[in-house]
Amino acid sequence: MADQHLAEAAAHWEYDLLGDQLPWGAWENEEEMRAELTAWLVRHAPARLRAHGVSEELLHRIRLLGVTGLDRWEDPHWPGHRY
């Protein structure tokens, strides 16, 4: 059940996170919370999501969270989001 919730949250959050935004409003420490969430997802989520059977597309988007600058935008798996 926890991995299902993780998969749903990651799918819901990836758009905002790829745009370097926290996927919810925060009064303070927004950048720190976004960085922490992103680091956790990049480090811990892929194995759990892969075992849960999520799409390769979502796994690539999680991977892209750990890529910065032009390397992110020019990656062949960039989803083409416009912010």
Side-chain angles (χ1 to χ4, degrees):
M1 183 67 113
D3 288 342
Q4 177 63 35
H5 288 296
L6 175 59
E8 291 169 6
H12 183 74
W13 295 342
E14 60 89 10
Y15 178 87
D16 291 320
L17 292 172
L18 282 172
D20 296 324
Q21 300 293 317
L22 193 61
W24 57 79
W27 289 99
E28 53 188 48
N29 303 324
E30 186 170 346
E31 181 59 27
E32 290 173 26
M33 287 192 295
R34 186 202 56 81
E36 233 177 273
L37 175 60
T38 298
W40 189 92
L41 285 170
V42 168
R43 194 172 311 126
H44 300 287
R48 290 176 57 185
L49 294 173
R50 190 171 287 108
H52 188 67
V54 303
S55 70
E56 284 297 314
E57 180 179 325
L58 181 57
L59 291 170
H60 281 298
R61 290 178 183 185
I62 298 298
R63 177 187 57 78
L64 284 170
L65 294 174
V67 179
T68 59
L70 287 177
D71 289 339
R72 178 186 285 178
W73 318 129
E74 294 176 352
D75 188 282
H77 296 286
W78 174 251
H81 293 329
R82 303 229 184 247
Y83 296 94

